[in-house]
Amino acid sequence: MKTFEVKAFGAASREADLEPMTIARREATPKDVEIEILYCGVCHSDLHTARNDWGGTKYPAVPGHEIVGRVTKVGGEVTQFKIGDLAAVGCMVDSCQTCANCRQDLEQYCLRGFTGTYNGRDRHLQQQTFGGYSEKVVVDEHFVLRVPTNLDLAAVAPLLCAGITTWSPLRHWKVKEGSKVAVVGLGGLGHMALKLTHALGADVTLFSRSADKIQEAKSLGADQVIISTDESQMASVGNTFDLIIDTVPYVHDLNPYVATLQASGTLVLVGFLGELDSAINTSPMVMGRKAISGSLIGGIAETQELLDFCGEHNIVSEIEMIKMQDINEAYERMLKSDVRYRFVIDMGSMKN
Ligand SMILES: [Zn+2]
Ligand SMILES: [Zn+2]
């Protein structure tokens, strides 16, 4: 298969800083869209993959799965995009498209495994996939999203991962006007959860460990902030919420949050994968038909629905723009939670 070279930024090994490199992209097949990347959001998964924190990283690793750009080439069978269109790519660039889950627009749960935008296995080139920290990307039309033209394009980028990760549970659990929702954690995911829940007309509460986030949370759409370390405040919201979106990315005790679910309510984990500690006391769950669940990004149709919703409601992420060359420093700041709320790379900086 024919390939062409593009400039990228990636890690050559687990210990290495990200640095300029050249990677091969496949020439667009009849079903492919070639996109010049304008902006790419910086997700925690990028950092964990570059540093092999989860194991399984193939090097060189080129992260980036919050991609917004402009179409520069389309294959002969592409129907939804033409040259010059805005386009976006999120966490997936392929899946089997035939299994029971793919057929229900749940490509993120593909039974044969979806192809990650980076560190996946390219079904055409039989090599690892490379993400959005690069000049161009070539993606099957089915996995390319349309971008509303009225939004700040750089601030759209984080919708492709942080946005859809919180949107999918809001939709699956049918949050609407009058629903009572709580969000745990105010980072890249949490701030999107506040904005989207508020825009759906639901009542939204932020659980936070510190009082210094109250004003900011309210400006992002929170109706109230409950300090999770304050037992009386926690008791005041016992048996209250229909849905809790827990964005915390490290192990933490869920029992205090389960107590705030109302009967038949669900706590959904979107940030942490692994064993819980403390152990879960099932009594409150049994006594109130309460559930603990998890959710991974969202399907392609659902991601398009999110982008359209954000266009209609003028919703984007809060971002800090960086140059590609600043990525290593940005990773260090992310580790200290020193970002409000998402770094986005201006890919024009790669041309320098
Ligand atoms: Zn991500
Ligand atoms: Zn599938």
Side-chain angles (χ1 to χ4, degrees):
M1 168 163 268
K2 272 194 172 171
T3 61
F4 64 102
E5 291 197 330
V6 299
K7 285 198 242 174
F9 240 74
S13 73
R14 143 174 222 170
E15 295 81 18
D17 275 350
L18 272 66
E19 57 184 20
M21 55 179 60
T22 302
I23 56 170
R25 296 286 189 198
R26 67 174 184 264
E27 286 286 353
T29 70
K31 291 183 185 324
D32 281 336
V33 177
E34 180 190 286
I35 300 162
E36 179 190 5
I37 301 173
L38 300 174
Y39 301 102
C40 186
V42 182
C43 173
H44 277 265
S45 304
D46 298 1
L47 186 166
H48 293 306
T49 300
R51 299 184 176 179
N52 199 27
D53 292 336
W54 298 328
T57 299
K58 292 179 188 68
Y59 293 95
V62 176
H65 60 201
E66 296 180 341
I67 297 168
V68 173
R70 206 171 276 286
V71 175
T72 47
K73 194 183 276 185
V74 292
E77 293 169 24
V78 169
T79 60
Q80 301 298 311
F81 294 89
K82 59 182 192 310
I83 292 172
D85 284 353
L86 292 172
V89 177
C91 305
M92 304 183 281
V93 290
D94 215 340
S95 73
C96 84
Q97 299 188 51
T98 56
C99 74
N101 290 347
C102 282
R103 277 186 277 128
Q104 293 178 80
D105 294 325
L106 297 170
E107 299 91 345
Q108 75 274 37
Y109 305 125
C110 175
L111 296 171
R112 296 182 180 90
F114 70 80
T115 303
T117 301
Y118 56 81
N119 205 44
R121 186 155 183 84
D122 188 307
R123 283 165 152 87
H124 301 270
L125 294 179
Q126 306 302 326
Q127 65 174 27
Q128 75 263 42
T129 52
F130 297 117
Y133 298 4
S134 59
E135 289 175 302
K136 284 186 173 178
V137 66
V138 177
V139 179
D140 184 305
E141 174 184 36
H142 180 76
F143 291 84
V144 181
L145 289 309
R146 295 182 303 282
V147 178
T149 52
N150 59 314
L151 300 175
D152 172 4
L153 291 182
V156 165
L159 301 176
L160 279 305
C161 176
I164 186 60
T165 298
T166 51
W167 178 252
S168 187
L170 289 169
R171 298 295 285 153
H172 180 73
W173 278 279
K174 300 184 167 53
V175 166
K176 55 184 188 300
E177 209 174 321
S179 300
K180 289 198 176 300
V181 177
V183 174
V184 189
L186 186 60
L189 295 171
H191 96 288
M192 285 312 310
L194 292 182
K195 288 188 179 208
L196 294 170
T197 309
H198 179 75
L200 283 167
D203 184 272
V204 58
T205 296
L206 175 73
F207 285 119
S208 175
R209 287 192 300 185
S210 63
D212 59 3
K213 291 182 174 164
I214 292 175
Q215 279 318 312
E216 179 125 17
K218 289 190 171 170
S219 74
L220 293 166
D223 294 287
Q224 66 171 342
V225 177
I226 295 290
I227 306 303
S228 57
T229 50
D230 181 326
E231 282 184 26
S232 66
Q233 285 197 33
M234 289 298 280
S236 74
V237 288
N239 300 297
T240 298
F241 301 111
D242 302 300
L243 181 68
I244 299 174
I245 300 179
D246 185 331
T247 71
V248 177
Y250 45 81
V251 67
H252 56 292
D253 185 5
L254 301 189
N255 291 295
Y257 300 114
V258 173
T260 70
L261 288 171
Q262 66 163 300
S264 307
T266 298
L267 182 153
V268 57
L269 293 158
V270 295
F272 172 71
L273 292 82
E275 287 186 24
L276 289 168
D277 188 21
S278 309
I280 297 296
N281 180 355
T282 64
S283 295
M285 297 172 67
V286 172
M287 301 306 285
R289 195 168 62 186
K290 299 177 181 183
I292 294 174
S293 186
S295 180
L296 178 72
I297 47 174
I300 294 299
E302 200 169 48
T303 307
Q304 189 63 59
E305 177 193 68
L306 164 68
L307 290 170
D308 295 345
F309 180 86
C310 287
E312 282 162 34
H313 293 262
N314 245 306
I315 296 172
V316 289
S317 175
E318 302 296 309
I319 65 162
E320 181 179 336
M321 192 103 85
I322 61 169
K323 297 193 182 88
M324 187 70 258
Q325 295 80 0
D326 298 333
I327 188 66
N328 296 299
E329 186 194 341
Y331 280 2
E332 293 310 312
R333 285 183 51 195
M334 281 163 69
L335 289 171
K336 290 182 253 171
S337 296
D338 176 23
V339 52
R340 298 207 163 175
Y341 283 88
R342 205 68 151 177
F343 289 118
V344 172
I345 306 162
D346 175 1
M347 297 310 300
S349 62
M350 276 234 310
K351 296 195 169 79
N352 302 335

Short mmCIF file of all heavy atoms in Angstrom, two decimals, residues 42-46 64-66 91 118 160-162 165 189 297 342, ligand 1:
data_model
loop_
_atom_site.label_atom_id
_atom_site.label_comp_id
_atom_site.label_asym_id
_atom_site.label_seq_id
_atom_site.Cartn_x
_atom_site.Cartn_y
_atom_site.Cartn_z
N VAL A 42 -5.08 17.84 24.14
CA VAL A 42 -4.12 17.01 24.87
C VAL A 42 -4.84 16.32 26.02
O VAL A 42 -5.29 16.95 26.97
CB VAL A 42 -2.95 17.86 25.41
CG1 VAL A 42 -1.94 16.99 26.13
CG2 VAL A 42 -2.28 18.63 24.28
N CYS A 43 -4.99 15.00 25.88
CA CYS A 43 -5.74 14.17 26.84
C CYS A 43 -4.74 13.47 27.77
O CYS A 43 -3.61 13.20 27.39
CB CYS A 43 -6.54 13.15 26.04
SG CYS A 43 -7.39 11.91 27.02
N HIS A 44 -5.20 13.15 28.99
CA HIS A 44 -4.33 12.40 29.90
C HIS A 44 -3.87 11.07 29.30
O HIS A 44 -2.78 10.60 29.59
CB HIS A 44 -5.02 12.17 31.24
CG HIS A 44 -4.90 13.34 32.16
ND1 HIS A 44 -3.92 13.45 33.12
CD2 HIS A 44 -5.62 14.48 32.25
CE1 HIS A 44 -4.04 14.59 33.76
NE2 HIS A 44 -5.07 15.24 33.25
N SER A 45 -4.72 10.48 28.47
CA SER A 45 -4.33 9.22 27.83
C SER A 45 -3.09 9.40 26.95
O SER A 45 -2.30 8.47 26.80
CB SER A 45 -5.47 8.69 26.96
OG SER A 45 -6.64 8.55 27.71
N ASP A 46 -2.93 10.59 26.38
CA ASP A 46 -1.75 10.85 25.54
C ASP A 46 -0.47 10.66 26.36
O ASP A 46 0.47 9.99 25.94
CB ASP A 46 -1.77 12.30 25.02
CG ASP A 46 -2.96 12.62 24.14
OD1 ASP A 46 -3.81 11.73 23.93
OD2 ASP A 46 -3.04 13.78 23.69
N GLY A 64 -2.52 11.85 20.55
CA GLY A 64 -3.45 12.85 20.05
C GLY A 64 -4.72 12.25 19.49
O GLY A 64 -4.70 11.63 18.42
N HIS A 65 -5.85 12.40 20.21
CA HIS A 65 -7.12 11.89 19.67
C HIS A 65 -8.28 12.87 19.88
O HIS A 65 -9.42 12.48 20.06
CB HIS A 65 -7.44 10.47 20.17
CG HIS A 65 -7.58 10.32 21.65
ND1 HIS A 65 -7.42 9.09 22.28
CD2 HIS A 65 -7.87 11.19 22.64
CE1 HIS A 65 -7.63 9.24 23.57
NE2 HIS A 65 -7.91 10.50 23.82
N GLU A 66 -7.93 14.15 19.84
CA GLU A 66 -8.95 15.21 19.83
C GLU A 66 -8.60 16.12 18.65
O GLU A 66 -7.99 17.18 18.83
CB GLU A 66 -8.94 15.97 21.16
CG GLU A 66 -9.33 15.08 22.34
CD GLU A 66 -9.33 15.80 23.70
OE1 GLU A 66 -8.69 16.87 23.82
OE2 GLU A 66 -9.96 15.29 24.63
N CYS A 91 -11.34 9.33 19.28
CA CYS A 91 -10.48 8.28 19.82
C CYS A 91 -10.39 7.03 18.95
O CYS A 91 -9.56 6.17 19.19
CB CYS A 91 -10.98 7.89 21.21
SG CYS A 91 -11.12 9.28 22.32
N TYR A 118 -4.42 6.33 18.14
CA TYR A 118 -2.98 6.08 18.27
C TYR A 118 -2.77 4.82 19.10
O TYR A 118 -3.64 4.42 19.86
CB TYR A 118 -2.23 7.27 18.89
CG TYR A 118 -2.74 7.74 20.25
CD1 TYR A 118 -2.37 7.10 21.43
CD2 TYR A 118 -3.56 8.86 20.34
CE1 TYR A 118 -2.81 7.55 22.65
CE2 TYR A 118 -4.02 9.31 21.57
CZ TYR A 118 -3.63 8.65 22.73
OH TYR A 118 -4.07 9.09 23.95
N LEU A 160 -14.02 15.88 21.33
CA LEU A 160 -13.86 14.58 20.70
C LEU A 160 -13.49 13.46 21.68
O LEU A 160 -13.63 12.28 21.38
CB LEU A 160 -12.81 14.67 19.59
CG LEU A 160 -13.26 15.22 18.23
CD1 LEU A 160 -14.44 14.44 17.68
CD2 LEU A 160 -13.58 16.69 18.27
N CYS A 161 -12.95 13.83 22.86
CA CYS A 161 -12.73 12.80 23.89
C CYS A 161 -13.38 13.22 25.20
O CYS A 161 -14.30 12.57 25.68
CB CYS A 161 -11.24 12.50 24.08
SG CYS A 161 -10.93 11.32 25.40
N ALA A 162 -12.94 14.34 25.78
CA ALA A 162 -13.52 14.77 27.06
C ALA A 162 -15.02 15.00 26.93
O ALA A 162 -15.80 14.64 27.82
CB ALA A 162 -12.82 16.04 27.55
N THR A 165 -17.04 11.59 26.25
CA THR A 165 -16.96 10.69 27.40
C THR A 165 -18.01 11.04 28.45
O THR A 165 -18.52 10.15 29.16
CB THR A 165 -15.54 10.76 28.00
OG1 THR A 165 -14.62 10.31 27.01
CG2 THR A 165 -15.41 9.90 29.25
N LEU A 189 -12.65 16.39 31.92
CA LEU A 189 -13.95 15.71 31.80
C LEU A 189 -15.02 16.42 32.61
O LEU A 189 -16.13 16.65 32.13
CB LEU A 189 -13.83 14.26 32.29
CG LEU A 189 -12.93 13.31 31.50
CD1 LEU A 189 -12.76 11.99 32.26
CD2 LEU A 189 -13.52 13.03 30.13
N ILE A 297 -15.94 6.46 26.22
CA ILE A 297 -16.18 7.46 25.16
C ILE A 297 -17.63 7.39 24.65
O ILE A 297 -18.56 7.46 25.45
CB ILE A 297 -15.12 7.41 24.03
CG1 ILE A 297 -14.84 5.98 23.55
CG2 ILE A 297 -13.84 8.07 24.53
CD1 ILE A 297 -13.90 5.90 22.32
N ARG A 342 -8.16 22.30 29.43
CA ARG A 342 -7.57 21.42 28.45
C ARG A 342 -6.53 22.18 27.65
O ARG A 342 -6.80 23.30 27.19
CB ARG A 342 -8.68 20.94 27.49
CG ARG A 342 -8.43 19.61 26.80
CD ARG A 342 -8.46 18.47 27.74
NE ARG A 342 -8.89 17.22 27.10
CZ ARG A 342 -8.93 16.07 27.76
NH1 ARG A 342 -8.55 15.98 29.02
NH2 ARG A 342 -9.33 14.97 27.14
ZN ZN B 1 -8.72 11.01 25.55
#
